[in-house]
Amino acid sequence: RSLALGGALQAAGMRKGDRVATLMWNHYAHLEAYFGIPCAGGVLHTLNLRLHPDDIGYIADHAGDRFLIVDDVLLPLYEKFRDKIKFERVIVVPLCGKPAAGYDDYEQFISSAAVMQAPQLDENDAAGMCYTSGTTGRPKGVVYSHRALSLHSMACAMGDTLGIRQSDTLCPVVPMFHVNAWGLPFTGAMVGCKLVLPGPHLDAVSLLDLYETEQVTFTAGVPTIWMGILQALEKEPARWRLMRNMRMVVGGAAAPESMIRAFDRFNLDVLHAWGMTETTPLGTTAHLKHVLNDLPADERYAYRVKQGVPAPFVEVRAMTDEGCAQWDGTTMGELQVRGPWIAAAYYKLDAEADKWTDDGWFRTGDVATIDAEGYVKITDRTKDLIKSGGEWISSLDLENALVGHPAVQEAAVIGVAHPKWDERPLAVIVCKPGAAATAQELREYLAPKFAKFWLPDDCAFVEAIARTSTGKMMKAALREQFRDWRWK
Ligand code: AMP
């Protein structure tokens, strides 16, 4: 079916290097697109369906997408940005069972009987692309070459990274629109294991049912998903018969130690990993090294909760103002990475070239220590972004909007720990003299401009926000001050 899709796209006019957008959940047709588009010479461009429709439209337009493959259940979302970009063909996957009127039907499209012509491809040709959020301004596109995806797949299969084998049953919960579901569909297909794709059903009970029915051995997602799963398991510990030692990769945000310990009690094996859209994404994994196996339990957890050691071919360093930090586990610096699947630039965005050093290291915007065993531990972030349930929120965009409110003099938006979403935005507000506003009013003021999950959950009203000598708001101090904010 992938070859049929590739052939049909070629027959529809897709040429080598043309971008084909997908707006889809994790399912069979998306997997077909993962292979059909790049094998036919096209570039698979996965659109993030959780973004504001204006951003999705911008991204598709910036990438120059010619075609769109979209789930029928996501057509209402497409309708919201269709005036921003004119696709030549919109091909609709009939998840609800019948073709959507007025559009090309996916099943009919791939039954065109056009035979795919294998194009001459260089390993450095583009195979896919994915946009990531910026601190300010527009999202940034990352292009993945055939080479990067192939090497990344091989590295992910290695025992000391993700260790994916033919005998696994692999269930990527991380969306296929987030860095190619962390490359798992590619790795899974490469090793030939069974893939289980959960579609839009991402609530804890549906996932646990699926894990049980399909006897899943390996799954992956952001902490928010695992917190839900844990709650469901703790509520009904005997309900599901899961595979013993099912491996669960937690990434996209820090895995709390309490969560790793709790899953251990259910004989479920959490593996903490770190990566980014720009790193395809595998960067580090926190397996316990052989030499650390005999440490007392608390010390072993202290390693497992770190982001881990770099994958083969990935170099890491923590850079301070004085240069490269010692690997002493205490000196913090900006985490920089280099390697064969680390992006070298953003797509058509020269203004961001300073994210790479002259000698080719990518500045991640994360702050980290590296210890003597090579374990990276993320301690902070220099980028002014908040990550909620695996999705980015730009604090600067919210601040700029908030100061437009007639009662607001100054606004700082910070991420504060949240038991379900990992982080949620809290707006710290200084009102103009004599003026007042409520959290509800400010949320309503922001609502038309942003996706709902961007809206700050609460506001803290203060007299003043401390600034540095260069006039920057002291966000780190605010994060410390409001660290124990009690969400209502
Ligand atoms: P994205 O490009 O959306 O995948 O986001 C990548 C960013 O997510 C990283 O630069 C980190 O800030 C954050 N991140 C990813 N994995 C982890 C992790 N295991 N622990 C802490 N932060 C993480």
Side-chain angles (χ1 to χ4, degrees):
R1 285 170 61 94
S2 284
L3 294 178
L5 171 62
L9 284 167
Q10 287 175 337
M14 185 190 77
R15 296 177 309 257
K16 195 175 141 187
D18 282 348
R19 273 76 68 205
V20 180
T22 61
L23 190 64
M24 295 158 121
W25 292 104
N26 290 13
H27 53 61
Y28 67 98
H30 213 168
L31 184 68
E32 288 158 16
Y34 263 47
F35 286 89
I37 296 167
C39 289
V43 180
L44 164 78
H45 179 198
T46 52
L47 296 171
N48 181 346
L49 56 90
R50 298 207 202 276
L51 297 183
H52 192 284
D54 287 352
D55 280 335
I56 306 178
Y58 164 82
I59 287 170
D61 184 54
H62 184 262
D65 296 336
R66 282 187 67 193
F67 305 94
L68 171 71
I69 309 177
V70 52
D71 289 347
D72 53 1
V73 292
L74 292 171
L75 279 172
L77 174 59
Y78 165 63
E79 299 290 340
K80 290 190 186 149
F81 68 86
R82 63 177 298 167
D83 57 332
K84 296 242 174 329
I85 163 144
K86 183 117 192 61
F87 295 107
E88 284 171 41
R89 299 281 283 267
V90 175
I91 303 142
V92 179
V93 179
L95 294 186
C96 291
K98 40 178 210 305
Y103 293 100
D104 279 322
D105 173 57
Y106 180 79
E107 291 302 327
Q108 252 177 14
F109 185 72
I110 66 167
S111 62
S112 69
V115 176
M116 194 191 92
Q117 303 299 319
Q120 280 290 325
L121 291 171
D122 183 88
E123 62 175 355
N124 289 309
D125 283 338
M129 68 190 304
C130 186
Y131 278 67
T132 180
S133 301
T135 309
T136 47
R138 295 300 199 164
K140 305 168 288 189
V142 175
V143 177
Y144 305 113
S145 64
H146 285 264
R147 179 173 198 270
L149 293 179
S150 305
L151 292 172
H152 183 265
S153 301
M154 286 199 264
C156 287
M158 291 178 72
D160 289 326
T161 57
L162 304 185
I164 297 166
R165 293 190 302 265
Q166 190 269 332
S167 53
D168 273 318
T169 296
L170 184 61
C171 180
V173 177
V174 50
M176 290 169 83
F177 52 80
H178 268 177
V179 213
N180 306 319
W182 298 347
L184 296 172
F186 292 125
T187 310
M190 184 189 77
V191 302
C193 72
K194 173 170 154 182
L195 269 167
V196 175
L197 301 169
H201 312 293
L202 301 178
D203 62 285
V205 168
S206 303
L207 286 174
L208 283 160
D209 286 347
L210 189 67
Y211 292 157
E212 180 179 39
T213 328
E214 300 294 340
Q215 292 288 281
V216 167
T217 61
F218 186 107
T219 178
V222 294
T224 299
I225 294 280
W226 307 129
M227 292 311 244
I229 297 254
L230 192 56
Q231 273 172 10
L233 284 175
E234 281 170 344
K235 205 161 135 210
E236 298 179 89
R239 175 162 166 190
W240 292 279
R241 297 178 79 80
L242 303 179
M243 288 300 280
R244 199 179 160 80
N245 297 338
M246 176 174 80
R247 282 120 70 211
M248 313 169 73
V249 177
V250 183
E257 184 174 330
S258 56
M259 188 178 92
I260 303 180
R261 285 179 184 262
F263 277 118
D264 276 352
R265 289 195 286 276
F266 287 99
N267 295 314
L268 299 172
D269 194 2
V270 169
L271 173 64
H272 192 195
W274 170 92
M276 303 177 69
T277 306
E278 293 88 337
T279 66
T280 311
L282 181 69
T284 64
T285 49
H287 283 289
L288 207 57
K289 285 189 181 181
H290 179 64
V291 289
L292 306 173
N293 262 338
D294 296 331
L295 289 176
D298 285 354
E299 287 177 43
R300 291 205 305 271
Y301 279 115
Y303 277 103
R304 285 182 59 197
V305 84
K306 292 188 184 195
Q307 277 66 21
V309 295
F313 309 120
V314 174
E315 293 173 89
V316 293
R317 68 181 186 187
M319 283 304 273
T320 69
D321 290 343
E322 281 78 49
C324 197
Q326 293 290 323
W327 287 23
D328 58 10
T330 54
T331 312
M332 283 187 256
E334 186 188 36
L335 180 63
Q336 299 187 351
V337 290
R338 197 162 68 166
W341 52 82
I342 312 296
Y346 291 117
Y347 182 65
K348 289 195 191 157
L349 197 60
D350 294 342
E352 295 275 348
D354 64 346
K355 292 288 180 320
W356 285 266
T357 66
D358 292 342
D359 49 350
W361 291 81
F362 172 62
R363 302 178 211 265
T364 65
D366 288 325
V367 178
T369 60
I370 307 175
D371 66 26
E373 286 294 343
Y375 284 76
V376 172
K377 181 175 159 66
I378 308 278
T379 54
D380 202 355
R381 222 179 259 152
T382 55
K383 43 196 171 195
D384 217 346
L385 289 165
I386 296 161
K387 209 170 199 191
S388 170
E391 299 287 342
W392 289 115
I393 297 171
S394 160
S395 15
L396 291 179
D397 285 354
L398 288 172
E399 287 158 8
N400 288 339
L402 279 166
V403 291
H405 186 277
V408 175
Q409 179 158 314
E410 279 187 293
V413 179
I414 52 170
V416 175
H418 187 281
K420 177 166 182 201
W421 299 110
D422 201 51
E423 280 184 337
R424 286 296 301 151
L426 172 73
V428 183
I429 303 287
V430 180
C431 285
K432 288 183 180 156
T438 64
Q440 188 53 28
E441 260 170 57
L442 294 179
R443 276 173 60 86
E444 280 164 19
Y445 175 73
L446 296 173
K449 303 187 183 84
F450 298 101
K452 195 155 168 257
F453 79 91
W454 275 49
L455 304 182
D457 285 19
D458 210 347
C459 295
F461 294 92
V462 296
E463 294 290 307
I465 293 172
R467 289 184 180 264
T468 63
S469 54
T470 52
K472 286 201 181 121
M473 291 190 286
M474 293 172 76
K475 289 281 186 79
L478 285 178
R479 283 199 293 269
E480 188 54 33
Q481 184 182 345
F482 293 101
R483 201 160 56 114
D484 299 320
W485 184 261
R486 294 173 83 95
W487 299 110
K488 288 185 203 109

